[in-house]
Amino acid sequence: AVVSTQSTGKQAFFLGYVSYDSYPTHPGDKFQPPTLNHAGALRPYYSVVYKGGTECDLIPGFKRETTVYYMCMPDFQTSVVSVKEVSTCKYDIVIYTSLLCKNKLYRIKEDPINHIYCLSTDGTKWKRPVGYDILSRLNDDSMFTETPQPKKAQVPEPVFVKPSQHPKSQKNTKKVEPKKSQLTFPEKRFVKQFLTAEKCVIGGVGWWKYEFCYQKSLKQFHKEKSGAKTEILLGIWDEQRHIEHVTEEAKSLETSKKSAYLELHYFLGDICDETGLPRQATIRMRCESNQDKGVQALTMFIDEPKMCVYIFTIDSGIFCRIMENTDKYGIPQASVDEIIDSF
């Protein structure tokens, strides 16, 4: 049932009842599930049709119908990710669940990654690209920095030292060179802009889109074709409120187990019409283990377990580094430069 708030109160519409005729009977050994392009990927799905819902006001005699698409999403709690009215009184609902992943036919097939190798046409040694000198000076990118020739040092005057002070008697005196980041300049720029909230990321499918700004805010919005925009603030980052929430929550939760994700709590969103309270959201950041996807690849999902209380899940390789250095409240401690250099 869908509940909508109107000036007269709340009104419920049944979108349909399960139709057992929609279930496949004997798929056969060569069965391949149908696919649907959703969230930027071609995903196999299992569908169930619901018919005989509340009668449609706009089409006399027709009762509402709904098709529910179940899609595999590993390590994801079963939840609705989109609801669309594809035509008058006909609806499509997409549900992500990890349960469907137990059947390998419904697992998403990753696109193969083909590496590109560049060779000089004349067979000479790899050279610096034309015009890169100016770019590297502007951006201080050391990818093509040449190693300077060592200067001839002046011969120092002999100095007599005690045996215990002799360099050969000292252990572990060799300086460790700082690790240089393997990220390209565009990747470094993206990570820096993302972690400083200079650049927000946008995702989501269906009616609502979501704008996430790291340690700043989470919004949902809908933009009409005319350009009009409806925007709702789901929460903002407040470190003190986060600490208070985590401290109170720790009294009733098991904290000895290491979590597979990092959570930051956002508060003081727009007032919820149903509860009269400010909206709030939990940002659940998970480490994307597939490093071939790159740091600019992010996957986002949202769930609303309670009215106007949200769980926003985002996967990225960036969070693998962030999770390595947090305080007892789960607040990241590493600087932007330290995170970039850790790649």
Side-chain angles (χ1 to χ4, degrees), residues 198-233:
E198 183 180 345
K199 181 181 183 65
C200 302
V201 292
I202 295 176
V205 292
W207 180 268
W208 291 110
K209 306 294 182 185
Y210 300 92
E211 180 188 75
F212 171 62
C213 304
Y214 178 73
Q215 288 194 334
K216 184 179 180 182
S217 63
L218 175 65
K219 300 176 183 178
Q220 71 176 16
F221 66 91
H222 173 72
K223 195 171 184 179
E224 303 284 354
K225 293 181 179 179
S226 61
K229 187 177 181 181
T230 303
E231 187 174 276
I232 299 176
L233 179 64

PDB file of all heavy atoms in Angstrom, residues 198-233:
ATOM      1  N   GLU A 198      34.429  19.985  -1.306  1.00  0.00           N
ATOM      2  CA  GLU A 198      34.410  20.933  -2.411  1.00  0.00           C
ATOM      3  C   GLU A 198      33.624  20.355  -3.584  1.00  0.00           C
ATOM      4  O   GLU A 198      33.041  21.091  -4.385  1.00  0.00           O
ATOM      5  CB  GLU A 198      35.850  21.255  -2.838  1.00  0.00           C
ATOM      6  CG  GLU A 198      35.956  22.285  -3.941  1.00  0.00           C
ATOM      7  CD  GLU A 198      37.394  22.562  -4.334  1.00  0.00           C
ATOM      8  OE1 GLU A 198      38.318  22.181  -3.564  1.00  0.00           O
ATOM      9  OE2 GLU A 198      37.607  23.152  -5.408  1.00  0.00           O
ATOM     10  N   LYS A 199      33.605  19.016  -3.662  1.00  0.00           N
ATOM     11  CA  LYS A 199      32.858  18.328  -4.705  1.00  0.00           C
ATOM     12  C   LYS A 199      31.921  17.325  -4.053  1.00  0.00           C
ATOM     13  O   LYS A 199      32.356  16.471  -3.281  1.00  0.00           O
ATOM     14  CB  LYS A 199      33.806  17.596  -5.660  1.00  0.00           C
ATOM     15  CG  LYS A 199      33.108  16.867  -6.813  1.00  0.00           C
ATOM     16  CD  LYS A 199      34.116  16.163  -7.695  1.00  0.00           C
ATOM     17  CE  LYS A 199      33.455  15.487  -8.877  1.00  0.00           C
ATOM     18  NZ  LYS A 199      32.825  16.456  -9.807  1.00  0.00           N
ATOM     19  N   CYS A 200      30.616  17.439  -4.318  1.00  0.00           N
ATOM     20  CA  CYS A 200      29.631  16.499  -3.809  1.00  0.00           C
ATOM     21  C   CYS A 200      29.299  15.484  -4.902  1.00  0.00           C
ATOM     22  O   CYS A 200      29.421  15.794  -6.086  1.00  0.00           O
ATOM     23  CB  CYS A 200      28.366  17.231  -3.365  1.00  0.00           C
ATOM     24  SG  CYS A 200      28.661  18.483  -2.077  1.00  0.00           S
ATOM     25  N   VAL A 201      28.896  14.294  -4.505  1.00  0.00           N
ATOM     26  CA  VAL A 201      28.558  13.254  -5.474  1.00  0.00           C
ATOM     27  C   VAL A 201      27.048  13.086  -5.509  1.00  0.00           C
ATOM     28  O   VAL A 201      26.358  13.218  -4.487  1.00  0.00           O
ATOM     29  CB  VAL A 201      29.246  11.918  -5.127  1.00  0.00           C
ATOM     30  CG1 VAL A 201      30.739  12.033  -5.314  1.00  0.00           C
ATOM     31  CG2 VAL A 201      28.934  11.497  -3.696  1.00  0.00           C
ATOM     32  N   ILE A 202      26.523  12.798  -6.690  1.00  0.00           N
ATOM     33  CA  ILE A 202      25.081  12.676  -6.902  1.00  0.00           C
ATOM     34  C   ILE A 202      24.777  11.274  -7.419  1.00  0.00           C
ATOM     35  O   ILE A 202      25.477  10.754  -8.286  1.00  0.00           O
ATOM     36  CB  ILE A 202      24.582  13.738  -7.897  1.00  0.00           C
ATOM     37  CG1 ILE A 202      24.771  15.145  -7.305  1.00  0.00           C
ATOM     38  CG2 ILE A 202      23.111  13.506  -8.257  1.00  0.00           C
ATOM     39  CD1 ILE A 202      24.390  16.255  -8.255  1.00  0.00           C
ATOM     40  N   GLY A 203      23.754  10.658  -6.878  1.00  0.00           N
ATOM     41  CA  GLY A 203      23.357   9.322  -7.301  1.00  0.00           C
ATOM     42  C   GLY A 203      21.883   9.094  -7.029  1.00  0.00           C
ATOM     43  O   GLY A 203      21.150  10.008  -6.648  1.00  0.00           O
ATOM     44  N   GLY A 204      21.463   7.859  -7.240  1.00  0.00           N
ATOM     45  CA  GLY A 204      20.065   7.521  -7.015  1.00  0.00           C
ATOM     46  C   GLY A 204      19.326   7.278  -8.312  1.00  0.00           C
ATOM     47  O   GLY A 204      19.679   7.822  -9.356  1.00  0.00           O
ATOM     48  N   VAL A 205      18.310   6.450  -8.246  1.00  0.00           N
ATOM     49  CA  VAL A 205      17.463   6.156  -9.400  1.00  0.00           C
ATOM     50  C   VAL A 205      16.018   6.418  -9.009  1.00  0.00           C
ATOM     51  O   VAL A 205      15.660   6.396  -7.832  1.00  0.00           O
ATOM     52  CB  VAL A 205      17.641   4.695  -9.863  1.00  0.00           C
ATOM     53  CG1 VAL A 205      19.009   4.459 -10.437  1.00  0.00           C
ATOM     54  CG2 VAL A 205      17.377   3.722  -8.721  1.00  0.00           C
ATOM     55  N   GLY A 206      15.178   6.653  -9.993  1.00  0.00           N
ATOM     56  CA  GLY A 206      13.781   6.909  -9.707  1.00  0.00           C
ATOM     57  C   GLY A 206      13.503   8.393  -9.517  1.00  0.00           C
ATOM     58  O   GLY A 206      14.229   9.274 -10.003  1.00  0.00           O
ATOM     59  N   TRP A 207      12.437   8.680  -8.802  1.00  0.00           N
ATOM     60  CA  TRP A 207      11.965  10.056  -8.613  1.00  0.00           C
ATOM     61  C   TRP A 207      12.989  10.913  -7.882  1.00  0.00           C
ATOM     62  O   TRP A 207      13.314  12.019  -8.279  1.00  0.00           O
ATOM     63  CB  TRP A 207      10.647  10.022  -7.842  1.00  0.00           C
ATOM     64  CG  TRP A 207      10.061  11.383  -7.572  1.00  0.00           C
ATOM     65  CD1 TRP A 207      10.259  12.167  -6.469  1.00  0.00           C
ATOM     66  CD2 TRP A 207       9.180  12.121  -8.415  1.00  0.00           C
ATOM     67  NE1 TRP A 207       9.570  13.332  -6.572  1.00  0.00           N
ATOM     68  CE2 TRP A 207       8.877  13.343  -7.761  1.00  0.00           C
ATOM     69  CE3 TRP A 207       8.607  11.880  -9.665  1.00  0.00           C
ATOM     70  CZ2 TRP A 207       8.027  14.295  -8.313  1.00  0.00           C
ATOM     71  CZ3 TRP A 207       7.764  12.836 -10.206  1.00  0.00           C
ATOM     72  CH2 TRP A 207       7.476  14.022  -9.541  1.00  0.00           C
ATOM     73  N   TRP A 208      13.520  10.388  -6.775  1.00  0.00           N
ATOM     74  CA  TRP A 208      14.462  11.153  -5.958  1.00  0.00           C
ATOM     75  C   TRP A 208      15.907  10.855  -6.344  1.00  0.00           C
ATOM     76  O   TRP A 208      16.273   9.712  -6.577  1.00  0.00           O
ATOM     77  CB  TRP A 208      14.278  10.831  -4.474  1.00  0.00           C
ATOM     78  CG  TRP A 208      13.000  11.332  -3.881  1.00  0.00           C
ATOM     79  CD1 TRP A 208      11.941  10.572  -3.467  1.00  0.00           C
ATOM     80  CD2 TRP A 208      12.636  12.689  -3.622  1.00  0.00           C
ATOM     81  NE1 TRP A 208      10.943  11.373  -2.970  1.00  0.00           N
ATOM     82  CE2 TRP A 208      11.336  12.679  -3.051  1.00  0.00           C
ATOM     83  CE3 TRP A 208      13.264  13.911  -3.817  1.00  0.00           C
ATOM     84  CZ2 TRP A 208      10.672  13.833  -2.678  1.00  0.00           C
ATOM     85  CZ3 TRP A 208      12.595  15.076  -3.442  1.00  0.00           C
ATOM     86  CH2 TRP A 208      11.321  15.029  -2.880  1.00  0.00           C
ATOM     87  N   LYS A 209      16.712  11.894  -6.404  1.00  0.00           N
ATOM     88  CA  LYS A 209      18.160  11.788  -6.527  1.00  0.00           C
ATOM     89  C   LYS A 209      18.771  12.246  -5.196  1.00  0.00           C
ATOM     90  O   LYS A 209      18.113  12.928  -4.394  1.00  0.00           O
ATOM     91  CB  LYS A 209      18.697  12.658  -7.669  1.00  0.00           C
ATOM     92  CG  LYS A 209      18.034  12.414  -9.015  1.00  0.00           C
ATOM     93  CD  LYS A 209      18.324  11.033  -9.552  1.00  0.00           C
ATOM     94  CE  LYS A 209      17.681  10.850 -10.923  1.00  0.00           C
ATOM     95  NZ  LYS A 209      17.826   9.478 -11.436  1.00  0.00           N
ATOM     96  N   TYR A 210      20.031  11.881  -4.982  1.00  0.00           N
ATOM     97  CA  TYR A 210      20.671  12.184  -3.708  1.00  0.00           C
ATOM     98  C   TYR A 210      22.005  12.881  -3.927  1.00  0.00           C
ATOM     99  O   TYR A 210      22.766  12.520  -4.817  1.00  0.00           O
ATOM    100  CB  TYR A 210      20.858  10.900  -2.884  1.00  0.00           C
ATOM    101  CG  TYR A 210      19.543  10.225  -2.599  1.00  0.00           C
ATOM    102  CD1 TYR A 210      19.044   9.244  -3.457  1.00  0.00           C
ATOM    103  CD2 TYR A 210      18.779  10.604  -1.512  1.00  0.00           C
ATOM    104  CE1 TYR A 210      17.816   8.651  -3.218  1.00  0.00           C
ATOM    105  CE2 TYR A 210      17.552  10.010  -1.262  1.00  0.00           C
ATOM    106  CZ  TYR A 210      17.074   9.044  -2.121  1.00  0.00           C
ATOM    107  OH  TYR A 210      15.854   8.465  -1.886  1.00  0.00           O
ATOM    108  N   GLU A 211      22.252  13.896  -3.108  1.00  0.00           N
ATOM    109  CA  GLU A 211      23.518  14.632  -3.155  1.00  0.00           C
ATOM    110  C   GLU A 211      24.219  14.448  -1.816  1.00  0.00           C
ATOM    111  O   GLU A 211      23.711  14.869  -0.769  1.00  0.00           O
ATOM    112  CB  GLU A 211      23.265  16.130  -3.414  1.00  0.00           C
ATOM    113  CG  GLU A 211      24.558  16.946  -3.470  1.00  0.00           C
ATOM    114  CD  GLU A 211      24.295  18.443  -3.519  1.00  0.00           C
ATOM    115  OE1 GLU A 211      23.937  19.006  -2.464  1.00  0.00           O
ATOM    116  OE2 GLU A 211      24.427  19.033  -4.604  1.00  0.00           O
ATOM    117  N   PHE A 212      25.384  13.808  -1.849  1.00  0.00           N
ATOM    118  CA  PHE A 212      26.147  13.527  -0.634  1.00  0.00           C
ATOM    119  C   PHE A 212      27.421  14.344  -0.626  1.00  0.00           C
ATOM    120  O   PHE A 212      28.225  14.281  -1.561  1.00  0.00           O
ATOM    121  CB  PHE A 212      26.481  12.036  -0.548  1.00  0.00           C
ATOM    122  CG  PHE A 212      27.442  11.706   0.561  1.00  0.00           C
ATOM    123  CD1 PHE A 212      27.108  11.946   1.883  1.00  0.00           C
ATOM    124  CD2 PHE A 212      28.691  11.161   0.280  1.00  0.00           C
ATOM    125  CE1 PHE A 212      27.999  11.639   2.908  1.00  0.00           C
ATOM    126  CE2 PHE A 212      29.584  10.855   1.296  1.00  0.00           C
ATOM    127  CZ  PHE A 212      29.231  11.095   2.607  1.00  0.00           C
ATOM    128  N   CYS A 213      27.597  15.130   0.426  1.00  0.00           N
ATOM    129  CA  CYS A 213      28.819  15.915   0.632  1.00  0.00           C
ATOM    130  C   CYS A 213      29.500  15.370   1.885  1.00  0.00           C
ATOM    131  O   CYS A 213      28.921  15.421   2.985  1.00  0.00           O
ATOM    132  CB  CYS A 213      28.514  17.395   0.792  1.00  0.00           C
ATOM    133  SG  CYS A 213      27.576  18.101  -0.584  1.00  0.00           S
ATOM    134  N   TYR A 214      30.712  14.852   1.719  1.00  0.00           N
ATOM    135  CA  TYR A 214      31.436  14.177   2.810  1.00  0.00           C
ATOM    136  C   TYR A 214      31.632  15.126   3.989  1.00  0.00           C
ATOM    137  O   TYR A 214      32.130  16.249   3.835  1.00  0.00           O
ATOM    138  CB  TYR A 214      32.785  13.680   2.289  1.00  0.00           C
ATOM    139  CG  TYR A 214      33.650  13.009   3.327  1.00  0.00           C
ATOM    140  CD1 TYR A 214      33.341  11.738   3.798  1.00  0.00           C
ATOM    141  CD2 TYR A 214      34.764  13.657   3.845  1.00  0.00           C
ATOM    142  CE1 TYR A 214      34.130  11.117   4.746  1.00  0.00           C
ATOM    143  CE2 TYR A 214      35.564  13.040   4.788  1.00  0.00           C
ATOM    144  CZ  TYR A 214      35.250  11.770   5.246  1.00  0.00           C
ATOM    145  OH  TYR A 214      36.025  11.162   6.192  1.00  0.00           O
ATOM    146  N   GLN A 215      31.213  14.662   5.176  1.00  0.00           N
ATOM    147  CA  GLN A 215      31.307  15.429   6.419  1.00  0.00           C
ATOM    148  C   GLN A 215      30.724  16.842   6.254  1.00  0.00           C
ATOM    149  O   GLN A 215      31.235  17.810   6.792  1.00  0.00           O
ATOM    150  CB  GLN A 215      32.754  15.499   6.914  1.00  0.00           C
ATOM    151  CG  GLN A 215      33.248  14.177   7.478  1.00  0.00           C
ATOM    152  CD  GLN A 215      34.530  14.296   8.262  1.00  0.00           C
ATOM    153  OE1 GLN A 215      35.325  15.205   8.048  1.00  0.00           O
ATOM    154  NE2 GLN A 215      34.766  13.368   9.165  1.00  0.00           N
ATOM    155  N   LYS A 216      29.594  16.918   5.543  1.00  0.00           N
ATOM    156  CA  LYS A 216      28.913  18.201   5.368  1.00  0.00           C
ATOM    157  C   LYS A 216      27.402  18.024   5.373  1.00  0.00           C
ATOM    158  O   LYS A 216      26.732  18.504   6.285  1.00  0.00           O
ATOM    159  CB  LYS A 216      29.375  18.878   4.072  1.00  0.00           C
ATOM    160  CG  LYS A 216      28.774  20.269   3.877  1.00  0.00           C
ATOM    161  CD  LYS A 216      29.285  20.908   2.587  1.00  0.00           C
ATOM    162  CE  LYS A 216      28.676  22.295   2.400  1.00  0.00           C
ATOM    163  NZ  LYS A 216      29.132  22.909   1.118  1.00  0.00           N
ATOM    164  N   SER A 217      26.836  17.341   4.348  1.00  0.00           N
ATOM    165  CA  SER A 217      25.379  17.254   4.270  1.00  0.00           C
ATOM    166  C   SER A 217      24.943  16.105   3.368  1.00  0.00           C
ATOM    167  O   SER A 217      25.725  15.579   2.574  1.00  0.00           O
ATOM    168  CB  SER A 217      24.792  18.564   3.739  1.00  0.00           C
ATOM    169  OG  SER A 217      25.236  18.802   2.410  1.00  0.00           O
ATOM    170  N   LEU A 218      23.664  15.734   3.505  1.00  0.00           N
ATOM    171  CA  LEU A 218      23.010  14.762   2.623  1.00  0.00           C
ATOM    172  C   LEU A 218      21.646  15.338   2.252  1.00  0.00           C
ATOM    173  O   LEU A 218      20.862  15.707   3.131  1.00  0.00           O
ATOM    174  CB  LEU A 218      22.844  13.407   3.316  1.00  0.00           C
ATOM    175  CG  LEU A 218      22.057  12.345   2.529  1.00  0.00           C
ATOM    176  CD1 LEU A 218      22.812  11.951   1.267  1.00  0.00           C
ATOM    177  CD2 LEU A 218      21.779  11.116   3.395  1.00  0.00           C
ATOM    178  N   LYS A 219      21.368  15.408   0.953  1.00  0.00           N
ATOM    179  CA  LYS A 219      20.106  15.966   0.467  1.00  0.00           C
ATOM    180  C   LYS A 219      19.462  14.993  -0.512  1.00  0.00           C
ATOM    181  O   LYS A 219      20.146  14.199  -1.150  1.00  0.00           O
ATOM    182  CB  LYS A 219      20.339  17.313  -0.241  1.00  0.00           C
ATOM    183  CG  LYS A 219      20.964  18.389   0.626  1.00  0.00           C
ATOM    184  CD  LYS A 219      21.249  19.643  -0.186  1.00  0.00           C
ATOM    185  CE  LYS A 219      21.937  20.712   0.648  1.00  0.00           C
ATOM    186  NZ  LYS A 219      22.262  21.912  -0.162  1.00  0.00           N
ATOM    187  N   GLN A 220      18.148  15.099  -0.642  1.00  0.00           N
ATOM    188  CA  GLN A 220      17.453  14.424  -1.727  1.00  0.00           C
ATOM    189  C   GLN A 220      16.702  15.493  -2.526  1.00  0.00           C
ATOM    190  O   GLN A 220      16.227  16.479  -1.952  1.00  0.00           O
ATOM    191  CB  GLN A 220      16.504  13.351  -1.216  1.00  0.00           C
ATOM    192  CG  GLN A 220      15.258  13.834  -0.511  1.00  0.00           C
ATOM    193  CD  GLN A 220      14.345  12.670  -0.124  1.00  0.00           C
ATOM    194  OE1 GLN A 220      14.733  11.513  -0.105  1.00  0.00           O
ATOM    195  NE2 GLN A 220      13.098  12.991   0.198  1.00  0.00           N
ATOM    196  N   PHE A 221      16.633  15.301  -3.839  1.00  0.00           N
ATOM    197  CA  PHE A 221      16.010  16.325  -4.664  1.00  0.00           C
ATOM    198  C   PHE A 221      15.362  15.692  -5.886  1.00  0.00           C
ATOM    199  O   PHE A 221      15.696  14.578  -6.295  1.00  0.00           O
ATOM    200  CB  PHE A 221      17.044  17.382  -5.101  1.00  0.00           C
ATOM    201  CG  PHE A 221      18.113  16.856  -6.026  1.00  0.00           C
ATOM    202  CD1 PHE A 221      17.958  16.907  -7.403  1.00  0.00           C
ATOM    203  CD2 PHE A 221      19.285  16.308  -5.517  1.00  0.00           C
ATOM    204  CE1 PHE A 221      18.934  16.416  -8.253  1.00  0.00           C
ATOM    205  CE2 PHE A 221      20.276  15.826  -6.364  1.00  0.00           C
ATOM    206  CZ  PHE A 221      20.093  15.881  -7.737  1.00  0.00           C
ATOM    207  N   HIS A 222      14.414  16.431  -6.439  1.00  0.00           N
ATOM    208  CA  HIS A 222      13.777  16.049  -7.698  1.00  0.00           C
ATOM    209  C   HIS A 222      13.740  17.288  -8.588  1.00  0.00           C
ATOM    210  O   HIS A 222      13.327  18.364  -8.140  1.00  0.00           O
ATOM    211  CB  HIS A 222      12.364  15.520  -7.482  1.00  0.00           C
ATOM    212  CG  HIS A 222      11.623  15.285  -8.768  1.00  0.00           C
ATOM    213  ND1 HIS A 222      11.940  14.238  -9.608  1.00  0.00           N
ATOM    214  CD2 HIS A 222      10.619  15.978  -9.362  1.00  0.00           C
ATOM    215  CE1 HIS A 222      11.140  14.292 -10.666  1.00  0.00           C
ATOM    216  NE2 HIS A 222      10.332  15.332 -10.539  1.00  0.00           N
ATOM    217  N   LYS A 223      14.154  17.116  -9.825  1.00  0.00           N
ATOM    218  CA  LYS A 223      14.206  18.233 -10.760  1.00  0.00           C
ATOM    219  C   LYS A 223      13.234  17.995 -11.905  1.00  0.00           C
ATOM    220  O   LYS A 223      13.286  16.970 -12.584  1.00  0.00           O
ATOM    221  CB  LYS A 223      15.630  18.405 -11.309  1.00  0.00           C
ATOM    222  CG  LYS A 223      15.872  19.737 -11.990  1.00  0.00           C
ATOM    223  CD  LYS A 223      17.343  19.931 -12.298  1.00  0.00           C
ATOM    224  CE  LYS A 223      17.601  21.302 -12.898  1.00  0.00           C
ATOM    225  NZ  LYS A 223      19.038  21.513 -13.190  1.00  0.00           N
ATOM    226  N   GLU A 224      12.315  18.946 -12.082  1.00  0.00           N
ATOM    227  CA  GLU A 224      11.340  18.866 -13.160  1.00  0.00           C
ATOM    228  C   GLU A 224      11.981  19.243 -14.497  1.00  0.00           C
ATOM    229  O   GLU A 224      13.063  19.844 -14.537  1.00  0.00           O
ATOM    230  CB  GLU A 224      10.162  19.808 -12.875  1.00  0.00           C
ATOM    231  CG  GLU A 224       9.452  19.544 -11.551  1.00  0.00           C
ATOM    232  CD  GLU A 224       8.557  18.324 -11.599  1.00  0.00           C
ATOM    233  OE1 GLU A 224       8.402  17.754 -12.702  1.00  0.00           O
ATOM    234  OE2 GLU A 224       8.039  17.935 -10.539  1.00  0.00           O
ATOM    235  N   LYS A 225      11.312  18.858 -15.584  1.00  0.00           N
ATOM    236  CA  LYS A 225      11.806  19.229 -16.907  1.00  0.00           C
ATOM    237  C   LYS A 225      11.830  20.741 -17.101  1.00  0.00           C
ATOM    238  O   LYS A 225      12.636  21.270 -17.865  1.00  0.00           O
ATOM    239  CB  LYS A 225      10.937  18.573 -17.987  1.00  0.00           C
ATOM    240  CG  LYS A 225      11.048  17.057 -18.025  1.00  0.00           C
ATOM    241  CD  LYS A 225      10.190  16.470 -19.132  1.00  0.00           C
ATOM    242  CE  LYS A 225      10.319  14.950 -19.186  1.00  0.00           C
ATOM    243  NZ  LYS A 225       9.476  14.361 -20.251  1.00  0.00           N
ATOM    244  N   SER A 226      10.932  21.439 -16.392  1.00  0.00           N
ATOM    245  CA  SER A 226      10.884  22.893 -16.490  1.00  0.00           C
ATOM    246  C   SER A 226      12.056  23.563 -15.789  1.00  0.00           C
ATOM    247  O   SER A 226      12.285  24.756 -15.952  1.00  0.00           O
ATOM    248  CB  SER A 226       9.572  23.403 -15.888  1.00  0.00           C
ATOM    249  OG  SER A 226       9.481  23.050 -14.509  1.00  0.00           O
ATOM    250  N   GLY A 227      12.796  22.784 -14.983  1.00  0.00           N
ATOM    251  CA  GLY A 227      13.921  23.345 -14.239  1.00  0.00           C
ATOM    252  C   GLY A 227      13.617  23.539 -12.771  1.00  0.00           C
ATOM    253  O   GLY A 227      14.527  23.785 -11.974  1.00  0.00           O
ATOM    254  N   ALA A 228      12.333  23.464 -12.381  1.00  0.00           N
ATOM    255  CA  ALA A 228      11.962  23.601 -10.972  1.00  0.00           C
ATOM    256  C   ALA A 228      12.541  22.447 -10.162  1.00  0.00           C
ATOM    257  O   ALA A 228      12.532  21.299 -10.603  1.00  0.00           O
ATOM    258  CB  ALA A 228      10.444  23.638 -10.833  1.00  0.00           C
ATOM    259  N   LYS A 229      13.019  22.745  -8.971  1.00  0.00           N
ATOM    260  CA  LYS A 229      13.727  21.750  -8.161  1.00  0.00           C
ATOM    261  C   LYS A 229      13.137  21.681  -6.762  1.00  0.00           C
ATOM    262  O   LYS A 229      12.987  22.699  -6.093  1.00  0.00           O
ATOM    263  CB  LYS A 229      15.217  22.096  -8.098  1.00  0.00           C
ATOM    264  CG  LYS A 229      16.090  21.045  -7.418  1.00  0.00           C
ATOM    265  CD  LYS A 229      17.552  21.452  -7.487  1.00  0.00           C
ATOM    266  CE  LYS A 229      18.461  20.418  -6.851  1.00  0.00           C
ATOM    267  NZ  LYS A 229      19.893  20.838  -6.905  1.00  0.00           N
ATOM    268  N   THR A 230      12.777  20.471  -6.342  1.00  0.00           N
ATOM    269  CA  THR A 230      12.320  20.223  -4.976  1.00  0.00           C
ATOM    270  C   THR A 230      13.469  19.586  -4.205  1.00  0.00           C
ATOM    271  O   THR A 230      14.013  18.569  -4.619  1.00  0.00           O
ATOM    272  CB  THR A 230      11.097  19.292  -4.959  1.00  0.00           C
ATOM    273  OG1 THR A 230      10.059  19.861  -5.747  1.00  0.00           O
ATOM    274  CG2 THR A 230      10.601  19.086  -3.541  1.00  0.00           C
ATOM    275  N   GLU A 231      13.841  20.181  -3.085  1.00  0.00           N
ATOM    276  CA  GLU A 231      15.020  19.723  -2.339  1.00  0.00           C
ATOM    277  C   GLU A 231      14.667  19.539  -0.872  1.00  0.00           C
ATOM    278  O   GLU A 231      13.985  20.376  -0.275  1.00  0.00           O
ATOM    279  CB  GLU A 231      16.158  20.733  -2.493  1.00  0.00           C
ATOM    280  CG  GLU A 231      17.481  20.277  -1.890  1.00  0.00           C
ATOM    281  CD  GLU A 231      18.604  21.252  -2.190  1.00  0.00           C
ATOM    282  OE1 GLU A 231      19.212  21.164  -3.273  1.00  0.00           O
ATOM    283  OE2 GLU A 231      18.849  22.145  -1.348  1.00  0.00           O
ATOM    284  N   ILE A 232      15.108  18.428  -0.297  1.00  0.00           N
ATOM    285  CA  ILE A 232      14.879  18.129   1.119  1.00  0.00           C
ATOM    286  C   ILE A 232      16.219  17.803   1.770  1.00  0.00           C
ATOM    287  O   ILE A 232      16.956  16.942   1.282  1.00  0.00           O
ATOM    288  CB  ILE A 232      13.907  16.955   1.295  1.00  0.00           C
ATOM    289  CG1 ILE A 232      12.548  17.284   0.674  1.00  0.00           C
ATOM    290  CG2 ILE A 232      13.734  16.612   2.773  1.00  0.00           C
ATOM    291  CD1 ILE A 232      11.557  16.133   0.726  1.00  0.00           C
ATOM    292  N   LEU A 233      16.527  18.479   2.849  1.00  0.00           N
ATOM    293  CA  LEU A 233      17.762  18.229   3.591  1.00  0.00           C
ATOM    294  C   LEU A 233      17.534  17.062   4.544  1.00  0.00           C
ATOM    295  O   LEU A 233      16.669  17.123   5.422  1.00  0.00           O
ATOM    296  CB  LEU A 233      18.175  19.480   4.373  1.00  0.00           C
ATOM    297  CG  LEU A 233      19.443  19.373   5.231  1.00  0.00           C
ATOM    298  CD1 LEU A 233      20.668  19.136   4.360  1.00  0.00           C
ATOM    299  CD2 LEU A 233      19.623  20.631   6.079  1.00  0.00           C
TER     300      LEU A 233
END
